Amino acid sequence: MHSSIDHEKIFFNYFLDKPHYLKNVRPGFFSNSDLDHIAKIAKDFYTKFGESPSKHQMKALIVDDPSDISEDIIGSIYDINIKEYDNDWIKRTAESWIKWKHFDKQLIKTIEYVKTQTVSPENVEDVVKRAIGMISTEGSVNFNTDLGLDFFNPEDHIQRKTNKLQTGWNFIDNVSGGGYDPKSLIIYAGEQNVGKSIWLANDAANFVRMGHNVVFITAEMSAQKVMKRIGSNLLSISMMEYDEKSANRDFIKRRLERVSRGLLPPGKLFVKEFPTSQGTILDIEAYLKDLEETQDHKVNVLVVDYINILANYRNPNTENTYMKIKQIAEDLRALAVKRNMLVISATQINRGAWDSTEIKMENIAESAGLAHTADVMYAIIQDSMMHANHEYWLKVLKIRDGQGKGSRCRFQIDYDHMRITETDDVTH
């Protein structure tokens, strides 16, 4: 992105008028050395006093500065009247300029890092992930001016209600106070092959039925298998017949039209597959951005199957599984907050609680890291007898905003359609 000295003078005056932008300006951003130095002085002044220096103050600051900047140069910079320019144009162009400068600086650092690495087939994935992480995290810019809530402002004490997302299950809606809040992270915990993916697929189906736009990220099963499970549920096609029925486009079209004629228009549903232990939160976020731009719709619910088999871009080489799960959970919740959506995922429990009728927080692998981050955590309970009876018990292990901790409900599972339904059998 090229900019002339005149454009950079306009940007600088815009930053003086909106001084919170100064915190994002770095040495070397301005092509003119005098302007670059003046910007540094202005930034230091803003950091110290919380306001931009006036032309008179800048001239006074230059007097004691070792640079050879004259008052005439300061005058030529400060005398630009930004009110002569369209505010939307200045804001958009100035922000783009800052973003590009940050990216350009970090790109150079990333190239320097890559050049110092001895790349081999064994470490190429780690080097690539580290390089992507350097650009994505350290090269990003935040123009958010939200100062938070002021305790001594009565207006900020009003408890404004969020638009909760009902789950389609009365038990969960009751214990969560009417459904899930956006910006939340929901976690299912269960043993290997207990059906965590089934629960996640049922959540996806339920939210689609209620008109929410859903993305299902799979790092375990293929995207086609996920489509088959959700399709069997939503389209009422048995798993045994799905391969044959799905080949008939007219038949599938009629079933899809039947779903569209429900009480509510269904939401969108996209299923995206990432390689096991290679997909990162950065990859997921990039996919979401592309999807929303190309499809022109907002994603309300993100389902991730599942935490333990995602890659941790922050520490790709760590063998500390506690740190890995903790950081991935933190990044998932940060993604939920950043994009104002609900995120649902799952995790494994320890072998000690396999085939058990009781699961506690201590039975969950890396439970402390997850518990500190997740807003709601459930235990999926199913021993051999329950499996034979086609039933589960869902237990609330943690709930940040609700009174249902320790409550459990019995659910039935129709394996022929991969469809979970709740019963009235609830204990507290």
Side-chain angles (χ1 to χ4, degrees):
M1 180 177 181
H2 300 288
S3 57
S4 66
I5 180 63
D6 291 334
H7 279 102
E8 291 186 350
K9 286 181 180 180
I10 296 171
F11 297 158
F12 176 70
N13 278 272
Y14 181 70
F15 301 154
L16 292 176
D17 188 58
K18 313 284 185 183
H20 64 273
Y21 284 105
L22 288 172
K23 65 183 176 66
N24 290 309
V25 175
R26 302 285 185 267
F29 273 23
F30 292 93
S31 57
N32 180 276
S33 59
D34 291 339
L35 181 55
D36 198 61
H37 189 66
I38 289 173
K40 179 184 180 303
I41 295 174
K43 179 180 178 180
D44 293 342
F45 189 93
Y46 171 68
T47 302
K48 188 174 182 180
F49 300 107
E51 61 183 17
S52 300
S54 65
K55 180 168 71 172
H56 175 75
Q57 289 170 323
M58 181 60 73
K59 288 180 177 180
L61 291 168
I62 288 296
V63 170
D64 298 325
D65 191 85
S67 65
D68 295 327
I69 299 175
S70 66
E71 290 189 4
D72 290 340
I73 292 176
I74 295 174
S76 70
I77 294 172
Y78 267 79
D79 288 344
I80 291 177
N81 183 10
I82 62 170
K83 290 183 172 57
E84 297 178 356
Y85 300 91
D86 179 74
N87 184 71
D88 290 338
W89 175 83
I90 298 179
K91 182 177 186 297
R92 183 178 67 256
T93 311
E95 287 186 355
S96 299
W97 180 81
I98 291 178
K99 289 179 180 178
W100 175 253
K101 290 294 183 179
H102 269 273
F103 177 79
D104 187 50
K105 291 280 187 184
Q106 194 57 39
L107 183 60
I108 293 172
K109 289 183 180 180
T110 304
I111 293 172
E112 292 173 350
Y113 160 76
V114 171
K115 286 183 176 180
T116 63
Q117 303 302 304
T118 302
V119 182
S120 67
E122 287 73 26
N123 72 351
V124 63
E125 289 292 338
D126 294 336
V127 172
V128 170
K129 287 176 183 176
R130 172 60 180 148
I132 292 173
M134 289 176 67
I135 294 175
S136 300
T137 58
E138 299 169 41
S140 62
V141 184
N142 180 18
F143 297 121
N144 187 5
T145 59
D146 181 9
L147 299 179
L149 300 179
D150 180 358
F151 183 83
F152 291 97
N153 179 5
E155 289 292 322
D156 286 348
H157 282 266
I158 298 174
Q159 298 298 299
R160 294 174 175 82
K161 294 184 178 180
T162 60
N163 295 320
K164 287 182 173 287
L165 282 73
Q166 293 183 326
T167 66
W169 285 320
N170 293 329
F171 169 71
I172 292 179
D173 288 344
N174 289 336
V175 298
S176 60
Y180 295 137
D181 291 311
K183 305 182 181 181
S184 297
L185 174 62
I186 315 300
I187 298 293
Y188 291 104
E191 67 181 76
Q192 182 177 337
N193 297 324
V194 75
K196 297 184 292 296
S197 297
I198 297 176
W199 281 85
L200 293 174
N202 271 261
D203 275 341
N206 286 347
F207 284 117
V208 167
R209 282 193 188 98
M210 290 180 285
H212 299 296
N213 298 324
V214 179
V215 164
F216 193 110
I217 301 293
T218 174
E220 184 177 39
M221 293 187 298
S222 69
Q224 287 297 130
K225 289 184 177 180
V226 175
M227 289 284 283
K228 180 177 180 178
R229 288 190 174 191
I230 298 177
S232 182
N233 182 345
L234 280 176
L235 306 180
S236 295
I237 305 172
S238 73
M239 293 289 289
M240 293 291 291
E241 298 178 327
Y242 203 90
D243 290 0
E244 177 186 350
K245 297 285 188 182
S246 62
N248 187 332
R249 292 187 179 184
D250 291 336
F251 175 81
I252 293 296
K253 183 179 179 180
R254 290 193 297 271
R255 289 298 174 102
L256 289 170
E257 289 173 348
R258 184 187 300 178
V259 174
S260 300
R261 291 196 298 267
L263 294 177
L264 291 173
K268 303 284 187 180
L269 173 61
F270 284 84
V271 179
K272 175 65 175 177
E273 180 182 350
F274 284 96
T276 302
S277 297
Q278 293 186 28
T280 68
I281 304 302
L282 296 178
D283 295 327
I284 294 173
E285 183 173 17
Y287 168 71
L288 292 175
K289 288 179 180 178
D290 289 342
L291 179 67
E292 289 184 341
E293 289 175 2
T294 56
Q295 296 295 316
D296 194 27
H297 72 259
K298 173 76 173 65
V299 176
N300 310 118
V301 181
L302 173 67
V303 181
V304 180
D305 190 12
Y306 57 99
I307 279 185
N308 302 61
I309 52 177
L310 292 179
N312 180 15
Y313 76 89
R314 285 199 266 170
N315 289 289
N317 295 318
T318 183
E319 295 182 1
N320 185 331
T321 55
Y322 167 83
M323 184 60 66
K324 172 190 173 182
I325 301 304
K326 178 177 182 294
Q327 291 183 334
I328 292 176
E330 290 170 348
D331 290 340
L332 274 177
R333 193 175 190 281
L335 187 62
V337 173
K338 183 178 179 180
R339 303 189 70 82
N340 190 30
M341 64 183 180
L342 176 68
V343 177
I344 307 173
S345 191
T347 189
Q348 295 271 21
I349 64 171
N350 297 325
R351 288 179 177 272
W354 287 16
D355 200 34
S356 173
T357 59
E358 180 61 286
I359 296 177
K360 298 180 180 179
M361 189 68 79
E362 54 264 32
N363 299 128
I364 299 176
E366 324 306 341
S367 60
L370 272 175
H372 293 157
T373 307
D375 296 279
V376 183
M377 289 188 71
Y378 300 107
I380 301 172
I381 300 174
Q382 186 188 61
D383 63 7
S384 301
M385 185 63 72
M386 295 177 196
H387 183 269
N389 291 331
H390 292 194
E391 65 181 25
Y392 288 105
W393 280 88
L394 191 70
K395 177 184 176 182
V396 181
L397 293 175
K398 176 201 173 176
I399 187 162
R400 197 185 301 275
D401 187 16
Q403 304 297 320
K405 182 179 179 180
S407 300
R408 62 178 70 196
C409 177
R410 184 170 61 87
F411 287 77
Q412 295 177 329
I413 169 70
D414 172 10
Y415 286 112
D416 197 32
H417 294 88
M418 290 296 176
R419 184 185 298 132
I420 297 173
T421 54
E422 68 179 321
T423 71
D424 295 329
D425 196 352
V426 177
T427 62
H428 300 281

